[in-house]
Amino acid sequence: MKRRLLLSVLGTPALIIPALATPALAQSPWPNRPIRIIVPFAAGGSPDVIARRLAAHFTQSFGQPAVVENRTGAGGIIASEAVAKAAPDGHTLGISNALPHVTSPLLNPATPYDPLHDFTHLAILAGFPLALGVSAAGPIQTLEEFLAASRAKPGGASIGTPGQASLPHIGMELLRQTRGLNYVHVPFRGGAPAAVLETIAGRLDATFAGFGEMAANDRIRVIAMAAEQRLPSRPELPTFRDSGLDLVATVWFGLCAPAGLPPAIAARLSEAAIATAAEPSFTASLTPLGLLPGMRMGMPQAGAYVASELARWGEVVRQANITAG
């Protein structure tokens, strides 16, 4: 009788199913606290602008505040490592970029993460061509004039970039090998905006960075852009191809999260990020900065794009024997 009573209580499906379902039902909905967006560059540049637009959209869409955290240093590695090692719960995101996710891992064997396997690449949101700029108050007008001046200067021209092992760093090495550029590399922890200010002040001979960091500053003269063709919005600005050098390089920005992010959360974040980038105000604000068409992509295209960039620039690094030192 006792055995029959035990089965009648514990063996009833209606009693067992709720007990088994309790852990799932007890899980907290996402998001249940503020979302952090970690930016590997200083405030004020294009990636910071993109992150703050994402934060505003996420705050409205998800019902929790999204905050931007600028964490500079080590060519973006510090910020990206923080994202890679965060809990994959959708509350810590990062702005992805060619510097911490492509060139730094290629040139720095000590990079403490794998740019593909340690991240969920949610979206690619914007891209700008690299540009070489000098002070508008100086005499340099063309790329050839700058190269000649660099050869004539003892020690070489000082050129600021967003960081060691960045795309501009690789581009300068290509210029050195193919066009005899004589230069001193000055990587900036604060990113391209800091290099631009130093160039304007005359303490640097040039800045090589994303066009968006200097496009709206009339105190910087852009003498060459690493675009496939001249921008329709700025047709007066020459490309490297105009000088016979096939240097095409894009500074792209995306959104990433730690690896292992639940697919449902990843999908919601990717869709919201793409929706942000599709807003007319987003495009209108970035087009004057050299925004390239066709750079908006969600999952899984974003991950495939990062992989293709690693393959492309890895080949350049190997062929040119470029090192981080």
Side-chain angles (χ1 to χ4, degrees):
M1 179 182 294
K2 289 182 179 179
R3 185 171 180 269
R4 287 197 299 272
L5 178 61
L6 186 64
L7 287 173
S8 68
V9 174
L10 298 183
T12 303
L15 295 177
I16 292 175
I17 292 175
L20 293 176
T22 299
L25 292 173
Q27 289 181 357
S28 299
W30 174 88
N32 55 34
R33 61 180 185 276
I35 298 170
R36 284 191 306 159
I37 304 176
I38 301 177
V39 182
F41 303 102
S46 298
D48 183 66
V49 172
I50 291 169
R52 293 183 189 279
R53 286 184 171 270
L54 288 173
H57 189 104
F58 289 177
T59 297
Q60 183 177 13
S61 298
F62 299 138
Q64 286 283 350
V67 296
V68 174
E69 178 182 331
N70 299 92
R71 192 181 298 190
T72 63
I77 290 177
I78 292 174
S80 299
E81 181 182 13
V83 176
K85 293 184 176 179
D89 58 11
H91 293 97
T92 300
L93 311 173
I95 295 297
S96 56
N97 173 253
L99 175 54
H101 289 95
V102 176
T103 57
S104 287
L106 286 173
L107 297 178
N108 184 358
T111 300
Y113 52 79
D114 184 289
L116 292 178
H117 298 107
D118 290 339
F119 296 90
T120 301
H121 289 283
L122 300 167
I124 302 297
L125 301 170
F128 307 88
L130 286 182
L132 180 63
V134 298
S135 172
I140 302 296
Q141 300 285 332
T142 68
L143 175 62
E144 294 302 333
E145 289 177 359
F146 178 76
L147 293 173
S150 77
R151 300 183 197 110
K153 183 176 181 177
S158 56
I159 304 178
T161 75
Q164 187 79 6
S166 60
L167 276 182
H169 181 195
I170 294 176
M172 288 190 305
E173 281 296 301
L174 290 175
L175 281 174
R176 181 181 65 80
Q177 294 187 11
T178 60
R179 289 297 183 89
L181 171 67
N182 184 25
Y183 80 99
V184 177
H185 183 206
V186 185
F188 276 81
R189 178 171 179 165
V196 169
L197 291 175
E198 291 297 290
T199 301
I200 291 171
R203 291 184 287 269
L204 285 179
D205 294 311
T207 298
F208 197 24
F211 177 61
E213 309 304 337
M214 59 189 84
N217 197 322
D218 59 7
R219 292 182 291 174
I220 285 284
R221 177 180 296 124
V222 174
I223 57 176
M225 290 200 304
E228 293 185 357
Q229 56 189 11
R230 296 193 182 200
L231 294 177
S233 60
R234 299 292 298 274
E236 77 280 6
L237 299 179
T239 67
F240 282 95
R241 283 182 168 180
D242 291 333
S243 295
L245 180 64
D246 192 22
L247 176 56
V248 177
T250 300
V251 179
W252 52 266
F253 300 105
L255 183 70
C256 65
L261 188 66
I265 297 177
R268 289 182 66 187
L269 283 166
S270 179
E271 290 170 3
I274 291 298
T276 303
E279 292 175 349
S281 60
F282 183 95
T283 302
S285 65
L286 295 179
T287 295
L289 303 181
L291 182 69
L292 294 169
M295 287 298 297
R296 190 166 65 238
M297 59 190 82
M299 298 174 63
Q301 292 86 355
Y305 179 77
V306 175
S308 70
E309 284 284 279
L310 281 162
R312 175 194 176 200
W313 291 109
E315 185 63 24
V316 172
V317 167
R318 285 188 292 271
Q319 289 186 356
N321 195 28
I322 299 171
T323 65

